[in-house]
Amino acid sequence: MHKITIAIDGFSSTGKSTVAKRLATALGYVYVDSGAMYRAVTFYAMKNGFITENHFNKQQLINHLDDINIDFKFNESLGFAEVYLNGQNIEKDIRTLDVSQFVSQVATVSEVREQLVLQQQNFGKNKGVVMDGRDIGTVVFPEAELKLFMTASAEKRAQRRYDELIERGDEVSFEAVLKNVQSRDHIDSTREDSPLTMADDAIKVDNSNLNLDEQFEFIYNLAKDKIAECN
């Protein structure tokens, strides 16, 4: 069976990672969370004082890029791969609102993007991969057989993200989450290097009024049709 590359792009908190994980499992493909890689670099920058609310020393981060080793290790008990930074499991650390507020700034650094894109392309060199992010279909895998672009209203996305953080036990306000979503949308869409845009041949998926199962079934059927078409 010929394997394909599936690229899932879109705005923050549209459920890209959730559907990508489920799709990869259903197809027996490898799942790569490119956003987690940018979060890992952001976490590193925060821990080393390169980025704060009032300061971002881009050059210091660039100088230390070779010291950043990101890996994914499958956790059988959880059913998905967790993110490791220099051998340390940081899966929970990178999912906080603190990291979220800085990740789009870090992602604007061309040297960071260049290094991570190379790693992402290496993950998918043998196809049979589902990868989600902001520029997968436009930059990382422009030749991907199936490209999806996921969107939803900012309010819907903020509510989903807020519910997720509250369930984790984080103390956040809905207003803060909504502000973060809107800020990330602006930064992601207006940055000079690889801005968030929908590829010309991508299929737009607006999940504002879809639940997780409805969204998955729609995308799973698209994937099955594309795989059949390529065989």
Side-chain angles (χ1 to χ4, degrees):
M1 179 70 73
H2 178 75
K3 291 188 175 183
I4 67 172
T5 298
I6 300 174
I8 303 179
D9 291 309
F11 292 97
S12 66
S13 302
T14 48
K16 297 186 302 295
S17 297
T18 300
V19 74
K21 286 177 190 174
R22 189 170 172 183
L23 184 62
T25 299
L27 297 174
Y29 279 21
V30 174
Y31 165 64
V32 179
D33 181 353
S34 74
M37 298 173 72
Y38 286 98
R39 285 177 171 271
V41 175
T42 302
F43 181 73
Y44 180 90
M46 292 169 64
K47 284 296 182 183
N48 287 277
F50 301 153
I51 189 168
T52 66
E53 285 189 14
N54 305 310
H55 178 70
F56 183 16
N57 192 327
K58 295 181 183 179
Q59 193 56 52
Q60 276 285 78
L61 175 58
I62 293 168
N63 293 344
H64 286 79
L65 284 177
D66 288 341
D67 299 329
I68 300 174
N69 180 47
I70 301 168
D71 198 12
F72 292 88
K73 296 182 182 179
F74 189 78
N75 185 323
E76 289 188 6
S77 63
L78 295 176
F80 62 86
E82 296 180 294
V83 185
Y84 282 72
L85 172 64
N86 296 335
Q88 177 187 354
N89 186 328
I90 59 167
E91 180 64 34
K92 290 184 179 179
D93 300 295
I94 64 172
R95 306 297 179 183
T96 64
L97 192 58
D98 286 341
V99 172
S100 295
Q101 72 176 336
F102 294 129
V103 67
S104 289
Q105 290 175 261
V106 170
T108 64
V109 181
S110 295
E111 290 83 355
V112 171
R113 301 199 69 81
E114 182 178 340
Q115 181 143 318
L116 294 189
V117 165
L118 288 174
Q119 291 184 40
Q120 291 156 11
Q121 290 174 331
N122 188 55
F123 281 136
K125 63 184 179 182
N126 296 319
K127 293 191 176 290
V129 63
V130 180
M131 190 177 296
D132 71 292
R134 300 290 193 282
D135 61 354
I136 311 305
T138 54
V139 176
V140 182
F141 296 125
E143 303 303 319
E145 290 88 346
L146 178 59
K147 300 178 186 179
L148 304 171
F149 188 88
M150 295 177 62
T151 186
S153 70
E155 289 75 18
K156 285 274 189 178
R157 290 183 284 127
Q159 186 65 55
R160 291 168 184 166
R161 181 68 175 145
Y162 173 75
D163 292 343
E164 181 181 292
L165 291 170
I166 292 298
E167 189 174 334
R168 275 172 37 126
D170 293 5
E171 293 185 9
V172 295
S173 69
F174 173 78
E175 291 73 18
V177 176
L178 177 59
K179 184 177 179 181
N180 174 252
V181 166
Q182 293 170 331
S183 173
R184 291 180 66 188
D185 285 354
H186 176 72
I187 295 173
D188 291 341
S189 301
T190 59
R191 67 184 179 221
E192 291 186 14
D193 189 348
S194 306
L196 172 62
T197 56
M198 187 171 80
D200 292 338
D201 53 347
I203 298 170
K204 187 175 183 178
V205 180
D206 188 330
N207 63 20
S208 295
N209 298 307
L210 296 176
N211 64 36
L212 290 176
D213 287 337
E214 291 169 337
Q215 173 179 263
F216 172 73
E217 286 302 321
F218 177 71
I219 292 175
Y220 181 52
N221 286 328
L222 289 176
K224 288 195 297 182
D225 289 346
K226 180 58 69 173
I227 292 170
E229 181 184 313
C230 292
N231 280 280

